[in-house]
Amino acid sequence: MPPPKAAVHPDLESVLVSSARIKRRIKEMGREIKRVYGRDEFTVISIINGAIMFTADLLREIENPVRLDCIRISSYRNETKSLGTPQLIHSLTLDIAGRDVLLIDDILDTGKTLLLVTELIRKLKPASLRTCVLLDKKGRREVNFEADFVGFKIPDKFVVGYGLDFAERYRNLPAIGVLKPARQNPPARA
Ligand code: IMP
Ligand code: MG
């Protein structure tokens, strides 16, 4: 008999997307993206920190010439819920005028972050702009926004792992899971 599978993390109530499913879906997403861009070069903008793991793995599935830049958006969350308006705190270094841009985030929730960032990017006059998210919590949308590439549609649960955090923790988990309610209290020292 094989040994029992080690739990991903004791603070998780359940695993929503296993690391094997993430890997499989990212390979498919690489193919979906290549179908749209052909062999052309494009510029990837990754919203950090959350999209770090997803961006790193997705880019390894794509052979096109790519340029990579990152953008940082201030956290406007009270740990598990969105509170206000997201703010840009670190902007781009690459020139994206006339370039094909693929914007990557970890999760599309209320939609406010991607709406803000796409508005900022459009002002820089890219040739085209598409968006790609690993997770889509469609039921939580507060603004009218849909991504061009979506990894998984998920229910309205607060999830961590594979780049997603709770108070900056759990980003390094290889799978995506739902945090136990007892763990959804801010730690004494963030
Ligand atoms: P939106 O602006 O509400 O669409 O939220 C997008 C940002 O909120 C994402 O980039 C995440 O950083 C964060 N976020 C939304 N839902 C979750 C979640 O379930 N777990 C962790 N972070 C989340
Ligand atoms: Mg984020």
Side-chain angles (χ1 to χ4, degrees), residues 100-119:
D100 292 310
V101 173
L102 180 64
L103 177 64
I104 301 185
D105 204 2
D106 50 1
I107 185 167
L108 180 52
D109 186 28
T110 65
K112 289 180 187 173
T113 302
L114 278 178
L115 187 65
L116 169 89
V117 178
T118 52
E119 280 170 356

Side-chain angles (χ1 to χ4, degrees), residues 16-26 152:
L16 205 59
V17 194
S18 69
S19 105
R21 271 183 78 202
I22 296 173
K23 283 199 183 107
R24 278 202 302 275
R25 183 70 188 114
I26 286 181
F152 301 95

